[in-house]
Amino acid sequence: MGTAPDLTEPYDVVVVGGGPAGYPAAVQAARMGARTLLVEKNGSLGGTTTVAGVFTTSLFHAWGRQVIAGIGWDAVTRAVALAGDTLPDFTDWDRPHWKLSVRVTPVIYAAVLDELVSDAGVDVLMHTMLGDVTQDPGGAHLTLCTKEGLVGVRAAMVVDATGDANVVGQAGLPRCQHEELQPGTLMVRLGGYDVDALDLDALDTAYAHAVADGRLRADDFSSADAPLRTLLRNRGLNAIHVTGIKGATSAERTDAEMAGRAALLRILTFLRSQPGLAATTVEWAALETGIRETSTIEGLVTITGEDYASGRLWEDAVSYSYFPIDIHRSDGAGVDFRMLEVGTFPSIPLRALIPAGSERIVVAGRSLSADRVANSAARVQASCMAMGQAVGALAALAGPAGGATRVPVDEVRSAIRADGAIVPGDPGTPHGTAASGGVAIIG
């Protein structure tokens, strides 16, 4: 640490975005010998875990079986150990899904990720954003916005792990953006009151009056059923919805950040005016409003909600994903939440991580090619970590091969197995002993 990367020399792989998908991609590529640069807009790696306060890294296990391991799992479990915490009992799987999610202490997790990328030999630039990207048959040229100004970087392969498909969009490749988007959430923790001592019936009445006269907005709350009680019992955590936002552009993210803090002030002002809540405090709040949904790519295949809910085993599957269908309603009125049938193990195909029309840009994370139903589940952190590791291997292999579609999927699988990943269809996996046939990825 402390030495500035030499940006004048070409990189084999440049990863844009150091969140749940980006850091495993960078580490995997570097461990395979690729000269790798990781670009991150914030002051820490970890993305939504460290800056948006979503420190429950759902979900590595399904129905009592581990389905995601490798680089992300190793980082998360090391962070848990360093914090002196313990893992959930994953064998007791018939519990609410959130009780099976691994929780990390964000600052410890961020420090673990610093060590992880440094040990792998990844060059890292934080406080840096993508300014432009152009492609040619031999790779891509990126313009990065650093504190010193604009700098150019050459890369054989680029991994878009921005969560918004920013690289894909700036390269002029097609993206899918829906008019209806899930709300964001500002993660906070409230204190200064005893919920058992409150007159919740009276507070419900006061809440209804406050919504009617405009002091509160009904869509400020993530629960449609007893929203104020839910917020108070949860002490604010994951209970504030930020509706009417988008989040794909700088202007939209600005609106989202300001709207999240405005919602918090509305709620805090109301609570402090109520009996038993005058001393309400904000003990902690995330630095950013968490964004669930912006843009997805048009990939070589698109995962549908039916594919996901049925547990389809794709012929080019490179990772599992497990989470319930989880669509937060755009009007803030609760969540369309659907548990998967017991024994369902969805998989992620490599082709859903390759944008149509590009050989030099690949994608990992929530902007994978999936419809809204599938994306609402596959977007969670553990799934993104697994995708990122697979895409990091693909990127490391694709540079010498001449492009992403020229890499046989079995080469990707072999590479990530060596770093602990669980590959769908392997012996001992939920899908049994499906054969590996060396299937090539074909555009």
Side-chain angles (χ1 to χ4, degrees):
M1 294 184 185
T3 303
D6 181 5
L7 303 181
T8 63
E9 291 294 320
Y11 281 92
D12 300 312
V13 177
V14 173
V15 180
V16 184
Y23 81 78
V27 169
Q28 179 67 56
R31 287 179 178 176
M32 293 171 65
R35 185 169 189 260
T36 303
L37 174 66
L38 176 58
V39 176
E40 168 55 42
K41 68 181 179 68
N42 290 309
S44 72
L45 303 179
T48 189
T49 322
T50 53
V51 299
V54 186
F55 47 77
T56 51
T57 57
S58 303
L59 281 168
F60 295 92
H61 293 72
W63 320 115
R65 302 182 67 170
Q66 185 162 6
V67 293
I68 295 173
I71 292 169
W73 171 251
D74 292 345
V76 166
T77 52
R78 174 165 165 73
V80 170
L82 286 172
D85 296 328
T86 58
L87 297 173
D89 179 2
F90 299 114
T91 64
D92 186 13
W93 58 265
D94 194 15
R95 294 188 293 164
H97 70 286
W98 55 270
K99 290 189 176 182
L100 296 169
S101 183
V102 182
R103 295 185 173 223
V104 296
T105 301
V107 68
I108 292 176
Y109 182 57
V112 166
L113 299 188
D114 290 342
E115 288 185 347
L116 181 65
V117 295
S118 297
D119 290 347
V122 177
D123 287 344
V124 181
L125 275 181
M126 299 185 197
H127 299 288
T128 302
M129 294 186 71
L130 178 69
D132 188 35
V133 59
T134 56
Q135 299 182 84
D136 58 52
H141 184 274
L142 297 89
T143 300
L144 303 180
C145 306
T146 71
K147 291 178 70 64
E148 309 94 287
L150 302 179
V151 295
V153 177
R154 180 75 184 171
M157 293 294 299
V158 183
V159 175
D160 185 340
T162 62
D164 303 319
N166 291 141
V167 180
V168 169
Q170 290 198 37
L173 299 169
R175 295 185 293 178
C176 180
Q177 296 174 310
H178 300 280
E179 276 301 313
E180 182 180 10
L181 296 173
Q182 297 179 73
T185 288
L186 179 61
M187 297 287 277
V188 303
R189 185 170 59 243
L190 303 177
Y193 63 88
D194 178 3
V195 69
D196 293 328
L198 298 174
D199 184 342
L200 294 176
D201 291 336
L203 286 171
D204 283 343
T205 300
Y207 160 80
H209 289 157
V211 170
D213 64 26
R215 285 175 292 149
L216 288 177
R217 288 171 38 175
D219 58 1
D220 285 339
F221 301 85
S222 62
S223 174
D225 182 25
L228 184 60
R229 294 181 187 222
T230 299
L231 177 130
L232 290 169
R233 287 171 175 153
N234 290 353
R235 298 198 172 273
L237 192 63
N238 202 20
I240 298 176
H241 263 164
V242 186
T243 60
I245 60 171
K246 293 186 177 180
T249 69
S250 291
E252 290 168 356
R253 284 303 297 262
T254 299
D255 289 344
E257 306 298 359
M258 296 178 73
R261 290 188 283 270
L264 174 58
L265 288 185
R266 279 194 298 273
I267 293 168
L268 184 63
T269 300
F270 167 77
L271 293 179
R272 286 178 172 171
S273 71
Q274 301 305 309
L277 293 168
T280 299
T281 60
V282 177
E283 296 180 346
W284 166 88
L287 300 176
E288 292 186 355
T289 293
I291 303 296
R292 291 184 172 86
E293 179 182 18
T294 53
S295 304
T296 55
I297 67 167
E298 293 185 12
L300 302 183
V301 298
T302 297
I303 305 169
T304 66
E306 182 179 354
D307 293 327
Y308 192 92
S310 68
R312 176 177 178 177
L313 176 59
W314 294 83
E315 64 178 354
D316 58 330
V318 288
S319 65
Y320 285 110
S321 174
Y322 176 71
F323 202 74
I325 304 302
D326 184 46
I327 306 173
H328 291 239
R329 299 186 187 278
S330 60
D331 59 2
V335 181
D336 177 3
F337 186 84
R338 306 173 225 164
M339 286 297 298
L340 302 181
E341 291 188 14
V342 175
T344 300
F345 299 92
S347 67
I348 303 295
L350 198 58
R351 287 170 294 166
L353 307 175
I354 303 175
S358 177
E359 289 287 348
R360 297 293 177 172
I361 298 172
V362 289
V363 170
R366 73 176 185 211
S367 51
L368 81 162
S369 184
D371 69 14
R372 292 193 74 223
V373 175
N375 187 267
S376 75
R379 65 182 170 82
V380 297
Q381 293 179 48
S383 299
C384 290
M385 293 173 197
M387 285 183 247
Q389 184 168 353
V391 163
L394 173 62
L397 294 165
T405 65
R406 302 181 185 185
V407 178
V409 68
D410 270 6
E411 292 188 17
V412 175
R413 290 168 172 162
S414 294
I416 62 177
R417 280 191 201 103
D419 275 294
I422 295 171
V423 177
D426 276 359
T429 66
H431 284 105
T433 57
S436 319
V439 179
I441 309 301
I442 299 173

